Amino acid sequence: MKREAISALRARRGFLRKIGGAGAAVAVGTAGLMHKVAAKSEPAAAQKSFPTPDYDWTKHRWAFGVDATKCIGCLRCVEACKRENNVPLDAHHFNTWIERYVYLEGEDKARIDSQQDPVNIAASGSEGQYRFANRYQDAKVEKAFFVPKLCNQCEHPPCVQVCPVGATYKAKDGVVLIDAEYCIGCRYCVQACPYGARWFNEEKGVTQKCYWCYHRITKGLQPACVEVCPVGARVFGDRDDRDSPISLFIRNNRVQVLKPETGNAPNVFYVGIDKEVL
Amino acid sequence: MEHLIQYAPYTGWVYPNETVIEWSVAIVVYPYITGLVAGAFTVSSLYQVFGFQRLKPVAHLALLTSLCFMLFVPLPLLLHLGHPERAFNNLLTPHLTSAMAMFGYFATFYIVLLVVETWFAFRPYIVEQAQKRIGLIGSFYRALTLGSYDVSETALRYDRKWIFWLAIAGIPGAHGLHGYVGFVFGSLKSREWWSSDLMPLVFLFSAIISGVALLIVLYVASCKLRRTPIDLACLKGLAYTVWAFIIVAFVLEGLEFANIVYKGREGIEMIMTFVTGPLLFPYFVLQFGIGAIVPLLALSYMIWRGTTGKALVVGVTLSACLVLLSVFMMRWNVVIGGQEISKTGKGLLTYPLQVFGKEGLISSLSLVIAPLVVLLGITRLFPPWEHKAAP
């Protein structure tokens, strides 16, 4: 157990060094990697191009947990994801983002903001850097919390249902992937996702979204956002493994999912969110 | 020079990725011209299948109008696609759970049907021209005869049978094509503004009124251009048709809105803020008020008073123009309006209309005007008003 913790720590340290020192190089490298990952449609292990030849997608059932009570809104996850997955460094395209909910004294409804908010952009100094502005310092805050958001890799994904050419599909391990070489760029999936998780890459002419760092998890690594979270607000693992962090998270907490009424059956499980969170 | 993307300003709370509005004015134009196709075909069918004799003067014009607009239906979609060169993936590997997957097949089927029906309808004229004309244009008509010069009564009866059955097949074809466009929006559960069982019907009936209205305008304009008298019985027939279908379309659109309001599900406050704020003018004033209620009242008055002559022509034509505006606004309010209401139900966005660019205002307007230019050209080659044979 201890050895595992040390190795995890080492991996994390290495990863942080990597994103700090050679962000651009990593971005370029992963772009190529993503390409390969996204291009597959048959069992991963059978494909030569797949970056992890011994990976068997029938042997895993990935899931993600978010403990909103732990999130401090530092946005390291957003930064890491942007660099790891080559997401445009602006305030309008996100694989993952953090929402801030603030109830002021005497108000019934939360004030909600996120990285696209002009006040937050002004506070960070540019659209490519992410920070929550200290906008409530003079207000009487009754309740406040952060909620990390990302693709829910739904059990019944509406984005997959509506894709006219089958370019986006659900892998056997539960992750919803996009074949960037087959996507026609119609953006019907962007419309169909009720969570706003998909975005269109104007330069590449295809839709993109979070895929739980598929290029990492198939190598036994954690998604970048999980790796960098300093407080453990993000939990990832294999539900087929009873002792994995995610299995423990789901078993030991009363978890909920976003917009359950849609019937999409998300695979991101939340703890500590509020009625206002959608 | 405009930027590649313009971000949508917003109020309230919207998801960060929503600040890029993905379906532009090109996607407004797409259902608009598809609707004109279906509506114009309805007029042609009313004559060919249902025997509305008074619509005879516009029956062939309706067919040509439908064909010309149909040729442009795929264009806004191709302009919109991130990878238009992959558009054929839709035909090669249709993903059958997608409401959009059948588009290629529907559209192809319908274009072929229109071309074949037009050929049968104009065959006597083509044969006549092939025998009369010389030079390049003569060769064009001779090629179009496909080697068949038989215009005997037996052959024409055979043609009429074909036209009849093609028109019958075209009715579900045209209306299926358009009802399906409504389904593309209505079947999505992510947006309260779109998610409605009535959406296909709303699209269908608004399509019919837009097509009939377009024919009214085209018929009157063509008579003026050709300095020929307007057949008032025909115009009245078209006015009755548009009047009857406006009522259905209006009731359906009203019912749809009433459903959203009455059910009052999550996000209804934002929808009400939207329709009483930014959407007040485009929705209540243009789409419902000026576009539907005014022509409905005007047409009702003219039918009641038995208006005829110049007053009828002016009244019906103006009403038709308003209907065309109303249906365009309906498409706008669905496509753009739907995206302006955030999926969070807690915020509103403003669509930043671009003037230039492949999905800008200019290219989209060109897509509405281009079929009319083609129609102008095609009526020179196949005059829908001169030939006598093949009713």
Side-chain angles (χ1 to χ4, degrees):
Chain A
M1 194 67 193
K2 197 177 171 190
R3 196 181 301 156
E4 270 176 24
I6 290 169
S7 79
L9 211 63
R10 245 182 227 152
R12 181 177 298 180
R13 216 174 277 153
F15 176 72
L16 285 170
R17 243 199 319 272
K18 213 165 54 173
I19 63 162
V26 171
V28 171
T30 42
L33 213 58
M34 273 174 69
H35 199 64
K36 284 179 186 167
V37 173
K40 73 176 213 17
S41 59
E42 270 311 294
Q47 290 214 347
K48 277 185 201 160
S49 62
F50 194 70
T52 322
D54 55 346
Y55 177 72
D56 184 351
W57 70 3
T58 60
K59 294 219 158 53
H60 302 275
R61 194 158 57 102
W62 303 116
F64 203 105
V66 172
D67 188 346
T69 61
K70 287 185 180 167
C71 180
I72 55 171
C74 68
L75 302 175
R76 290 291 156 267
C77 49
V78 174
E79 301 257 0
C81 171
K82 286 261 184 183
R83 281 159 178 77
E84 178 72 18
N85 293 299
N86 209 10
V87 179
L89 281 175
D90 62 35
H92 307 276
H93 301 85
F94 292 93
N95 279 357
T96 186
W97 66 96
I98 307 291
E99 299 170 359
R100 171 167 65 178
Y101 292 74
V102 176
Y103 289 83
L104 296 184
E105 221 174 71
E107 289 185 359
D108 286 336
K109 289 195 170 159
R111 292 169 180 238
I112 313 164
D113 64 346
S114 188
Q115 284 71 70
Q116 88 282 18
D117 192 297
V119 177
N120 291 334
I121 295 171
S124 67
S126 89
E127 285 212 356
Q129 290 170 309
Y130 308 99
R131 188 172 304 160
F132 277 111
N134 196 5
R135 66 204 298 177
Y136 300 112
Q137 56 183 335
D138 299 323
K140 289 197 168 164
V141 175
E142 212 161 61
K143 177 165 80 170
F145 55 91
F146 296 102
V147 180
K149 290 278 187 80
L150 64 161
C151 173
N152 286 286
Q153 322 288 353
C154 302
E155 212 51 40
H156 309 295
C159 52
V160 170
Q161 183 187 32
V162 303
C163 177
V165 296
T168 186
Y169 57 98
K170 193 161 171 68
K172 293 231 164 61
D173 51 19
V175 184
V176 174
L177 301 172
I178 300 168
D179 186 337
E181 288 183 0
Y182 211 71
C183 172
I184 60 174
C186 70
R187 290 160 257 184
Y188 198 14
C189 57
V190 179
Q191 304 291 0
C193 174
Y195 307 102
R198 284 179 172 244
W199 52 274
F200 185 68
N201 188 325
E202 286 81 12
E203 263 175 49
K204 293 180 182 165
V206 295
T207 300
Q208 281 180 235
K209 68 169 190 78
C210 160
Y211 59 171
W212 289 348
C213 284
Y214 204 65
H215 57 288
R216 291 174 57 84
I217 62 172
T218 51
K219 288 190 182 120
L221 299 168
Q222 296 275 298
C225 58
V226 177
E227 188 84 47
V228 299
C229 180
V231 292
R234 291 171 179 255
V235 182
F236 180 80
D238 188 350
R239 288 192 76 181
D240 280 345
D241 173 6
R242 267 186 64 78
D243 297 324
S244 70
I246 190 64
S247 295
L248 291 169
F249 182 81
I250 293 170
R251 198 157 66 236
N252 296 336
N253 290 293
R254 292 175 189 187
V255 293
Q256 62 188 106
V257 293
L258 300 174
K259 299 187 181 179
E261 74 282 0
T262 56
N264 298 337
N267 277 309
V268 175
F269 299 90
Y270 282 86
V271 162
I273 56 173
D274 193 77
K275 67 177 175 59
E276 292 272 309
V277 180
L278 290 162
Chain B
M1 191 64 201
E2 287 172 302
H3 289 292
L4 189 62
I5 329 164
Q6 282 194 344
Y7 303 119
Y10 68 93
T11 54
W13 161 238
V14 307
Y15 294 128
N17 289 336
E18 279 188 298
T19 51
V20 184
I21 290 190
E22 293 297 355
W23 281 0
S24 64
V25 64
I27 305 299
V28 176
V29 164
Y30 159 66
Y32 189 58
I33 58 178
T34 319
L36 294 173
V37 170
F41 193 83
T42 306
V43 175
S44 150
S45 300
L46 283 175
Y47 169 72
Q48 305 284 12
V49 179
F50 300 104
F52 281 44
Q53 287 303 320
R54 55 164 60 185
L55 298 183
K56 188 178 177 185
V58 290
H60 285 162
L61 177 65
L63 201 55
L64 287 184
T65 307
S66 199
L67 178 64
C68 290
F69 275 89
M70 191 61 214
L71 294 176
F72 286 87
V73 160
L75 262 184
L77 295 181
L78 288 174
L79 281 177
H80 172 71
L81 290 185
H83 280 281
E85 79 282 6
R86 297 179 188 167
F88 278 105
N89 289 1
N90 202 11
L91 286 167
L92 299 172
T93 56
H95 186 230
L96 296 178
T97 61
S98 170
M100 220 185 250
M102 281 297 112
F103 170 76
Y105 292 106
F106 269 133
T108 312
F109 165 77
Y110 192 59
I111 287 179
V112 170
L113 184 140
L114 275 174
V115 168
V116 176
E117 190 177 336
T118 309
W119 183 76
F120 273 114
F122 284 89
R123 209 178 66 81
Y125 179 78
I126 293 169
V127 171
E128 182 196 317
Q129 295 298 311
Q131 286 165 339
K132 209 163 70 182
R133 301 269 194 134
I134 46 161
L136 201 64
I137 194 85
S139 309
F140 169 72
Y141 284 114
R142 277 189 289 282
L144 276 186
T145 61
L146 304 181
S148 162
Y149 287 84
D150 186 359
V151 282
S152 65
E153 193 43 48
T154 324
L156 290 182
R157 207 178 310 123
Y158 184 71
D159 285 0
R160 278 198 291 274
K161 207 184 272 177
W162 264 97
I163 293 171
F164 179 77
W165 286 108
L166 283 168
I168 283 189
I171 295 169
H175 299 117
L177 181 73
H178 202 71
Y180 131 90
V181 176
F183 188 75
V184 162
F185 293 95
S187 61
L188 287 189
K189 51 193 173 186
S190 56
R191 294 187 189 281
E192 184 70 5
W193 192 244
W194 287 352
S195 176
S196 163
D197 302 340
L198 284 174
M199 201 59 107
L201 285 173
V202 167
F203 265 73
L204 196 51
F205 281 94
S206 57
I208 293 172
I209 59 173
S210 70
V212 182
L214 176 70
L215 272 174
I216 291 172
V217 176
L218 288 178
Y219 178 60
V220 171
S222 67
C223 288
K224 292 281 168 207
L225 284 173
R226 293 169 50 240
R227 297 174 203 281
T228 52
I230 295 167
D231 184 332
L232 288 179
C234 171
L235 192 68
K236 249 188 180 162
L238 288 170
Y240 284 142
T241 312
V242 82
W243 177 80
F245 282 116
I246 283 181
I247 295 174
V248 183
F250 186 68
V251 166
L252 284 171
E253 283 170 32
L255 267 178
E256 191 193 55
F257 182 64
N259 255 305
I260 294 175
V261 176
Y262 199 80
K263 283 178 184 163
R265 285 188 286 231
E266 205 158 8
I268 185 65
E269 290 96 345
M270 202 39 75
I271 288 180
M272 291 315 287
T273 310
F274 188 53
V275 294
T276 53
L279 211 61
L280 184 71
F281 188 71
Y283 190 59
F284 287 118
V285 178
L286 291 182
Q287 183 185 331
F288 279 113
I290 296 174
I293 295 173
V294 170
L296 186 63
L297 292 178
L299 290 170
S300 303
Y301 179 81
M302 285 185 283
I303 291 167
W304 171 50
R305 303 294 297 178
T307 309
T308 187
K310 203 172 175 187
L312 180 78
V313 175
V314 174
V316 170
T317 311
L318 282 178
S319 300
C321 290
L322 291 178
V323 168
L324 283 170
L325 169 77
S326 170
V327 176
F328 183 82
M329 289 318 298
M330 180 261 168
R331 309 299 192 232
W332 176 279
N333 293 332
V334 169
V335 178
I336 302 297
Q339 296 175 93
E340 286 183 327
I341 306 170
S342 170
K343 290 170 182 171
T344 62
K346 294 175 192 290
L348 295 177
L349 296 121
T350 306
Y351 170 60
L353 177 65
Q354 283 184 300
V355 177
F356 304 102
K358 68 185 173 103
E359 286 187 73
L361 188 64
I362 292 175
S363 66
S364 297
L365 278 179
S366 311
L367 285 175
V368 181
I369 295 165
L372 295 172
V373 176
V374 175
L375 182 65
L376 195 67
I378 223 165
T379 51
R380 299 280 160 100
L381 290 171
F382 307 104
W385 27 71
E386 279 173 9
H387 70 297
K388 303 284 186 287

